[in-house]
Amino acid sequence: MCGRFAVTLPNDAMAQLFSARPANALPTVPNFNVCPTNQVHVVRGGDSGRRLDALRWGFLPHWYKTQTAGPLLINARAETLAEKPAFRDACRSRRCLIVATGFYEWTKTDEGTRLPWYIHRRDGAPIAFAGIWQDWGVDENRQGTCAIVTTTANENLGTIHHRMPLILEPEHWSLWLGEAGKGAARLMQPGAEDVLTFHRVDPVVNSNRASGPDLIKPLHE
């Protein structure tokens, strides 16, 4: 599961990191509370090289007549990605990288209180989520949409949640984007145990309207 994340890398640095040509209109950074249906930074491959684009976070299958015609598809399970009608074609030919700095997950107390955690790379590098994308709509309403691929959590993150986003190392970006031939399916497994670390953060982030750098600061109880 990945339902909220943060992105702080400047757009030009993001384009340089991924060797991608940036689109003219990209989401504003930093954003410490990226929510479903927001525009997000996405790296896609193409005949003329990689592009850094803005896509709607919330995959819209072509048969949706409206944006709310079915479930909000922000995540796509790696285990069924190649079989689900909504994701099958995208899995084969429309894979992307979704850029983040870290993401949030929640645990619950026995009383049902939601406790937020901020999860980020131990080495401080940006995160590249494995994603899939789909163009949806017609004429002036046409837009690009995307979802984050998830896997079973590794032991490290399993203490917080049973699912985790699929995070790709730089040496695997080309394979996922289809630039290095076939075989991307072998990447769809939990990441190494030592890649991510996490800490509790203030419950103010439980609101999707919260903003600012304090959202990712460690909570001192």
Side-chain angles (χ1 to χ4, degrees), residues 199-203 217-221:
H199 56 259
R200 277 283 316 283
V201 291
D202 196 294
K217 290 182 177 178
L219 178 65
H220 300 292
E221 296 180 298

Side-chain angles (χ1 to χ4, degrees), residues 51-62:
R51 305 182 311 278
L52 177 63
D53 295 321
L55 302 186
R56 175 192 189 265
W57 183 21
F59 190 97
L60 294 172
H62 65 83

Side-chain angles (χ1 to χ4, degrees), residues 111-175:
E111 294 76 30
T113 302
R114 298 177 76 227
L115 305 177
W117 300 77
Y118 181 65
I119 304 161
H120 57 98
R121 290 187 62 104
R122 196 179 298 272
D123 61 9
I127 288 173
F129 294 132
I132 53 173
W133 64 273
Q134 165 82 44
D135 283 335
W136 178 89
V138 295
D139 300 331
E140 69 274 7
N141 294 319
R142 193 156 181 81
Q143 61 179 306
T145 72
C146 63
I148 294 172
V149 178
T150 66
T151 70
T152 301
N154 58 25
E155 288 188 20
N156 182 30
L157 255 65
T159 58
I160 297 179
H161 199 274
H162 67 284
R163 303 288 298 175
M164 66 180 289
L166 175 56
I167 295 173
L168 299 174
E169 297 301 317
E171 61 267 26
H172 296 146
W173 293 349
S174 291
L175 184 56

Side-chain angles (χ1 to χ4, degrees), residues 66-138:
T66 67
Q67 295 184 20
T68 57
L72 180 60
L73 304 175
I74 61 171
N75 293 158
R77 295 172 68 95
E79 297 89 337
T80 56
L81 193 63
E83 303 158 12
K84 290 279 188 181
F87 304 134
R88 189 169 50 215
D89 290 344
C91 174
R92 285 196 295 265
S93 59
R94 293 192 300 278
R95 298 189 299 270
C96 62
L97 305 173
I98 299 172
V99 189
T101 304
F103 61 99
Y104 301 97
E105 195 51 82
W106 283 261
T107 54
K108 280 188 179 181
T109 65
D110 292 340
E111 294 76 30
T113 302
R114 298 177 76 227
L115 305 177
W117 300 77
Y118 181 65
I119 304 161
H120 57 98
R121 290 187 62 104
R122 196 179 298 272
D123 61 9
I127 288 173
F129 294 132
I132 53 173
W133 64 273
Q134 165 82 44
D135 283 335
W136 178 89
V138 295

Side-chain angles (χ1 to χ4, degrees), residues 14-34:
M14 206 180 298
Q16 184 175 4
L17 175 66
F18 291 94
S19 301
R21 186 177 72 255
N24 292 329
L26 290 169
T28 300
V29 285
N31 184 348
F32 295 91
N33 197 3
V34 180

